[in-house]
Amino acid sequence: KQEVTQIPAALSVPEGENLVLNCSFTDSAIYNLQWFRQDPGKGLTSLLLIQSSQREQTSGRLNASLDKSSGRSTLYIAASQPGDSATYLCAVNGNTPLVFGKGTRLSVIA
Amino acid sequence: NAGVTQTPKFRVLKTGQSMTLLCAQDMNHEYMYWYRQDPGMGLRLIHYSVGEGTTAKGEVPDGYNVSRLKKQNFLLGLESAAPSQTSVYFCASSSQNRGEQYFGPGTRLTVT
């Protein structure tokens, strides 16, 4: 059974820092991995989807990497801003529909 | 486009009552999903549909039923609500199998 882990559970950084969020999964037989953002009391917003054949995917200040063989993905956020404060979730598409991690709650302090 | 919408936004039920949550999408997506989100548990898949008229069980299907009579709508039913079903329910859709999923704003359900 696929399990997805996100470490750390919470992270607080000063504005302007570059940061990395981590996601690991136990079954490397995946089709793709999706990163989401969730603001308090809101739904999920898709940030990036990275296919199993890709190593990286970029959107603006965000860069997601995928190492399928080691079961790891990272989300890099450059020059963080207070507006980036939210919970970030990764989810893996494999033989079953999306399996989610529990998220990393990010606070960017002005 | 409205994307994925959910009705209602909030609801309080008493134990044993029934209700239906409605999910609608205007993106002509084939695939639709129902999740629940609980503190400390993350998001878990309840049921999903790969097209009009089809449904399948996810990780936590017990106590729920679903129907997909129209391509744009996916209904989640609770026949006899229990306090353990207190949760935030999210609907999502995607255009293809294992494709990028788009989420609705959620329904916050409390069962007393």
Side-chain angles (χ1 to χ4, degrees):
Chain A
K1 178 186 172 186
Q2 179 74 270
E3 293 182 3
V4 180
T5 303
Q6 292 186 247
I7 294 174
L11 180 64
S12 183
V13 300
E15 181 178 6
E17 267 203 12
N18 303 324
L19 60 100
V20 174
L21 306 180
N22 296 296
C23 173
S24 62
F25 46 94
T26 55
D27 184 354
S28 62
I30 68 168
Y31 292 90
N32 56 53
L33 183 146
Q34 199 167 352
W35 281 95
F36 294 90
R37 168 187 173 135
Q38 185 175 29
D39 293 290
K42 303 290 186 183
L44 281 68
T45 299
S46 179
L47 297 173
L48 289 165
L49 183 144
I50 183 164
Q51 301 290 352
S52 62
S53 58
Q54 296 176 308
R55 298 282 294 183
E56 283 189 0
Q57 191 71 261
T58 297
S59 176
R61 294 184 293 110
L62 306 179
N63 176 279
S65 69
L66 176 63
D67 184 342
K68 200 173 80 161
S69 61
S70 68
R72 293 182 182 179
S73 176
T74 62
L75 180 66
Y76 174 84
I77 302 177
S80 59
Q81 303 169 358
D84 294 330
S85 297
T87 297
Y88 291 81
L89 299 158
C90 75
V92 172
N93 250 324
N95 292 322
T96 55
L98 280 184
V99 177
F100 282 81
K102 295 179 182 178
T104 294
R105 189 171 65 254
L106 173 66
S107 297
V108 181
I109 312 301
Chain B
N1 287 351
V4 180
T5 58
Q6 293 184 233
T7 310
K9 289 185 170 51
F10 303 93
R11 186 72 186 268
V12 178
L13 286 180
K14 294 187 177 179
T15 298
Q17 287 185 320
S18 63
M19 78 163 294
T20 300
L21 283 67
L22 171 63
C23 175
Q25 53 94 4
D26 61 2
M27 297 175 283
N28 202 34
H29 284 174
E30 288 292 337
Y31 297 80
M32 296 186 75
Y33 313 84
W34 276 107
Y35 296 90
R36 59 178 290 174
Q37 186 175 37
D38 303 290
M41 299 295 293
L43 275 117
R44 293 178 292 170
L45 182 65
I46 305 171
H47 286 281
Y48 63 102
S49 169
V50 302
E52 183 178 324
T54 73
T55 62
K57 294 180 180 179
E59 182 185 355
V60 288
D62 294 342
Y64 304 96
N65 56 76
V66 288
S67 64
R68 183 100 181 267
L69 299 179
K70 293 183 179 181
K71 185 177 183 178
Q72 63 267 34
N73 295 339
F74 195 27
L75 278 63
L76 178 71
L78 287 73
E79 289 187 348
S80 179
S84 61
Q85 293 177 304
T86 293
S87 187
V88 181
Y89 291 86
F90 288 102
C91 176
S93 70
S94 64
S95 61
Q96 55 188 297
N97 191 19
R98 304 185 184 93
E100 187 172 8
Q101 291 193 19
Y102 297 88
F103 278 73
T107 295
R108 186 174 295 274
L109 175 66
T110 302
V111 183
T112 61

